[in-house]
Amino acid sequence: MIAYVDHSSDPWAEDAFGLACCLVTLLFLGSPLSQIGNVIRLQDASVLLPSVALLAFFNNLLWSLYGHLHNDAFMLFPNAIGSALCAVQLGLIAYYGRAAANLPLTATIKPDDGDGVESVPMTEIST
């Protein structure tokens, strides 16, 4: 598609490429929200990454501002929608928390009572 846009004299080619890029961006930013049903049902937002959502929110916010200042709809609208999608993720994380992300990574089998079985870190458990 890049080669077509680069060598095309069709004015619509650049717009088509811009629309394709906008759709890919929105799919990327909205993909974590495919888990929204599980987040609400389980009341646990552990599947959502707060660092990614926060950085993507501010990144999209700044690109939206840039698009607004330069009167560029291809920059403004998808990034404004992306900011809104990231805000929804941050809202879910703030409301439901990340309970499963705070679970310890050790498995306690049973205390050692002379039979030689004791707590073992999960990294040492092999299948």
Side-chain angles (χ1 to χ4, degrees), residues 30-43:
S31 63
L33 293 177
S34 65
Q35 295 293 319
I36 196 167
N38 290 336
V39 169
I40 293 170
R41 183 173 45 83
L42 299 173
Q43 296 184 352

Side-chain angles (χ1 to χ4, degrees), residues 11 16 26 35 40 42 48-49 63 68 70 74 78-79 86 88 95 107 109-110 113 117-119:
L26 291 176
Q35 295 293 319
I40 293 170
L42 299 173
L48 303 175
L49 299 173
W63 279 114
H68 175 71
H70 289 274
F74 286 120
N79 286 299
C86 292
V88 169
Y95 187 76
I109 299 170
K110 126 181 182 187
D113 56 357
V117 178
E118 57 187 306
S119 176

Side-chain angles (χ1 to χ4, degrees), residues 87-119:
V88 169
Q89 291 178 49
L90 291 170
L92 289 170
I93 292 167
Y95 187 76
Y96 290 116
R98 303 185 71 232
N102 297 327
L103 294 176
L105 293 177
T106 58
T108 303
I109 299 170
K110 126 181 182 187
D112 187 9
D113 56 357
D115 62 359
V117 178
E118 57 187 306
S119 176

